[in-house]
Amino acid sequence: MPITPTPKIWMNGELVAWEDAKIHVLTHSLHYGTGVFEGIRAYETATGPAVFRLTDHMVRLQNSAKIIGMDLPYGVEDLVEATKDVVRESGLPSAYIRPIAYYGYGEMGLSTLPCSIDVAIACWPWGAYLGDDAMTKGVRLKTSSWTRLDHNTMPPAAKTTGNYVNSTLAKVEALKGGYDEALLLNPQGMVSECTGENVFVARHGKLLSPPLSAGALEGITQDSVMTIARDLGIDVALSELARSDVYIAEEMFLCGTAAEVSAVNSVDDRDIPCPGPMTTAIGETYHRAIRGEVDRYKDWVEHVD
Ligand code: PPE
């Protein structure tokens, strides 16, 4: 999906013009994959643009940095305010927001200890991630030949730039095979997640989603979905899932900031009923919640002004 420029990008405490937000080719994190990042969305609400669970995303950015031993020079509150500035400056009613922290230019070699840490936040308009029909027609998944990262190799709970080599390999393989998205199994052979989404599977009337320990990112949408499901009276839990659980799922969906709630219609050419009733109910509530239309979830909506 092509990027449409917006006026300003926040870099190390300043708003700079979009075209000036450049880095040197010898930037440390470009060579070693040691950046940490977030994907956040702002939505139009009746009372102006608001960023969905902005504080929670910035807490996760801090946690990603902590996992890889990177000491961010800005706190959660600084990053929240900076994000609001970027969205406000963009003039956009809704936007995708990409904060990134990385080891900068000046040092080379594997040790990050002498490196500077730079932080940037950009936003731009971004539409449906898995296509406009993802909610209604659903997406086709293929189990990847690539294994999800192991906790003792590349910690999958940290949203590091390097981890997305794994996601990219799986995504391109799935697309070239004629599928929409890849399902990744962890080194133990259990389901972890997709390349940029958490997975929910219904079995015996209960919704289940693999936890962090299964190699999944601790998704903020996953958490929102679990809260919404509980409030709708749906039985929901984090749980290990085997490949067979997926093949005989009563319904299945993916969720993430970019993908929102996207139904799944098949995995490895085994049909899954789509969209299922829980998927539809949760998807509809989520779509209202992100726009500040559900009182109960008002705290999730962080206004720019
Ligand atoms: N797992 C992975 C691997 C992942 O990248 C994401 C977000 C999620 C789960 C869901 O997390 P959350 O957004 O907090 O619910 N993926 C982001 C990046 C996608 C990209 O193409 O880049 C996103 O959805 O913004």
Side-chain angles (χ1 to χ4, degrees), residues 107-129:
E107 294 282 343
M108 206 42 96
L110 287 177
S111 172
T112 56
L113 300 175
C115 294
S116 63
I117 298 163
D118 292 329
V119 184
I121 306 169
C123 81
W124 65 92
W126 221 20
Y129 188 66

Side-chain angles (χ1 to χ4, degrees), residues 72-293:
L72 288 189
Y74 301 97
V76 169
E77 274 175 36
D78 305 321
L79 296 168
V80 163
E81 287 313 310
T83 302
K84 290 180 179 177
D85 290 346
V86 172
V87 175
R88 203 181 298 115
E89 281 289 324
S90 77
L92 294 170
S94 63
Y96 186 78
I97 303 157
R98 171 57 53 83
I100 184 164
Y102 53 95
Y103 291 109
Y105 166 82
E107 294 282 343
M108 206 42 96
L110 287 177
S111 172
T112 56
L113 300 175
C115 294
S116 63
I117 298 163
D118 292 329
V119 184
I121 306 169
C123 81
W124 65 92
W126 221 20
Y129 188 66
L130 293 174
D132 289 327
D133 295 336
M135 187 57 215
T136 44
K137 287 194 191 149
V139 295
R140 291 179 73 219
L141 301 191
K142 173 96 176 98
T143 303
S144 190
S145 75
W146 297 97
T147 300
R148 189 67 184 141
L149 302 161
D150 183 65
H151 290 285
N152 295 320
T153 52
M154 307 268 283
K159 203 170 163 66
T160 61
T161 55
N163 281 358
Y164 283 78
V165 174
N166 179 252
S167 284
T168 299
L169 289 168
K171 181 79 185 189
V172 172
E173 179 188 69
L175 292 177
K176 284 191 168 173
Y179 297 85
D180 301 306
E181 181 56 295
L183 180 68
L184 285 148
L185 307 181
N186 65 27
Q188 291 71 43
M190 303 300 275
V191 176
S192 59
E193 58 179 347
C194 288
T195 67
E197 305 88 7
N198 288 105
V199 167
F200 277 88
V201 164
R203 292 272 292 129
H204 305 294
K206 187 169 176 169
L207 265 187
L208 303 167
S209 185
L212 181 155
S213 57
L217 187 71
E218 208 161 44
I220 288 162
T221 319
Q222 181 190 49
D223 180 74
S224 307
V225 161
M226 291 185 73
T227 303
I228 290 169
R230 266 184 220 114
D231 292 343
L232 289 171
I234 295 168
D235 205 354
V236 62
L238 293 176
S239 169
E240 287 228 310
L241 287 172
R243 193 164 171 170
S244 297
D245 283 310
V246 173
Y247 288 163
I248 55 176
E250 291 134 28
E251 58 182 286
M252 180 172 181
F253 61 87
L254 312 180
C255 72
T257 298
E260 300 177 330
V261 175
S262 299
V264 173
N265 63 40
S266 70
V267 180
D268 298 339
D269 306 311
R270 280 105 170 141
D271 289 342
I272 296 176
C274 173
M278 293 191 267
T279 305
T280 304
I282 291 167
E284 280 173 1
T285 307
Y286 182 76
H287 279 263
R288 290 196 297 120
I290 53 185
R291 291 173 179 84
E293 292 168 13

